[in-house]
Amino acid sequence: MMVPDAARCSMVALVRSTAARLQRRLLPRARKTLRSLPQCGVFQRYDSTTTGKLASHGFASMAAMSSFPPQRYHYFLVLDFEATCDKPQIHPQEIIEFPILKLNGRTMEIESTFHMYVQPVVHPQLTPFCTELTGIIQAMVDGQPSLQQVLERVDEWMAKEGLLDPSVKSIFVTCGDWDLKVMLPGQCQYLGLPVADYFKQWINLKKAYSFAMGSWPKNGLLDMNKGLNLQHIGRPHSGIDDCKNIANIMKTLAHRGFIFKQTSKPF
């Protein structure tokens, strides 16, 4: 059947206009889909060296890697000492609880724990004030290793966890500067012990929180948990529980896009 020229022109115009509408509608969707593919690991290229290093640090899951923005460190080592204390304060103070949590810098999950109690030697008897504050009773420190022995165990744990490998970037994180600026170097100086280099740089979580949130946490972990609407974990002034709270706060800040940086000044 012959189609009149006018009708044929009308049909061609209709087809062209329909094709144009479909192109305008579908092309942006196609571009959006293509842009999203690399985030899922599709069409993305990684050289074998990079992939091997990531895998060796526990970063095999691409989904886990994309959960948080990249941090500057492979691992964060969360630390919070408890020490002998009284009112008025006793001197010298001595570390009686030595906890460290190894936090994966990509997933912000806890991968390993070091936790030991320490026998005080200058003031071997804990005061009632100290026990009430920290929850540490005399039986928990009696017969425990000395600080020198615990530091040796820390070094062994660091080596076992691959944290002494020069290619692995890690840094300690504390709630304040007291732990690594005052307490550890002060006790080591009193006992004539060396301080390992890895204890000489750290992140003060209070400073990191203030950079991220714009306010200073006067009451430490309690204020930071409140400011982030987090439930406090465990008992205040328990070293291991304080570490868990620090790790939880770090994970929350990282999820919001905060990048942690060293806050301590070189010794």
Side-chain angles (χ1 to χ4, degrees), residues 75-78 100-104 109-114 157 160-163:
Y75 296 102
F76 297 104
L77 305 176
V78 179
I100 307 172
L101 299 180
K102 179 187 176 187
L103 205 64
N104 187 304
E109 297 291 343
I110 299 168
E111 287 194 351
S112 182
T113 300
F114 177 92
W157 177 79
K160 180 176 70 74
E161 295 294 328
L163 297 167

Side-chain angles (χ1 to χ4, degrees), residues 2 14 30 55 73 98 102 105 143-144 175 178 212 216 218 258:
M2 296 293 295
L14 178 62
Y73 300 93
F98 203 127
K102 179 187 176 187
Q144 295 300 312
C175 185
W178 174 83
W216 182 260
K218 294 180 182 179
F258 185 74

Side-chain angles (χ1 to χ4, degrees), residues 177-196:
D177 291 321
W178 174 83
D179 300 81
L180 294 178
K181 187 176 183 179
V182 177
M183 188 62 239
L184 182 63
Q187 189 175 355
C188 285
Q189 182 179 26
Y190 183 88
L191 297 173
L193 301 175
V195 178

Side-chain angles (χ1 to χ4, degrees), residues 155-262:
D155 201 67
E156 291 169 1
W157 177 79
M158 296 273 287
K160 180 176 70 74
E161 295 294 328
L163 297 167
L164 302 184
D165 184 337
S167 68
V168 176
K169 293 188 66 177
S170 65
I171 189 168
F172 279 91
V173 183
T174 58
C175 185
D177 291 321
W178 174 83
D179 300 81
L180 294 178
K181 187 176 183 179
V182 177
M183 188 62 239
L184 182 63
Q187 189 175 355
C188 285
Q189 182 179 26
Y190 183 88
L191 297 173
L193 301 175
V195 178
D197 286 342
Y198 46 70
F199 287 126
K200 295 180 180 180
Q201 48 274 322
W202 64 89
I203 295 169
N204 178 344
L205 184 63
K206 292 180 181 178
K207 291 181 180 178
Y209 177 90
S210 68
F211 296 152
M213 303 296 289
S215 62
W216 182 260
K218 294 180 182 179
N219 296 310
L221 293 175
L222 296 176
D223 279 358
M224 288 186 273
N225 276 327
K226 184 178 180 181
L228 295 169
N229 296 314
L230 298 174
Q231 189 73 30
H232 192 87
I233 300 169
R235 173 196 172 99
H237 300 295
S238 158
I240 190 66
D241 287 345
D242 285 352
C243 284
K244 292 175 183 176
N245 281 284
I246 292 171
N248 199 31
I249 290 165
M250 291 185 69
K251 182 177 181 179
T252 302
L253 290 176
H255 190 68
R256 296 185 179 196
F258 185 74
I259 306 298
F260 291 92
K261 303 174 184 177
Q262 178 179 331

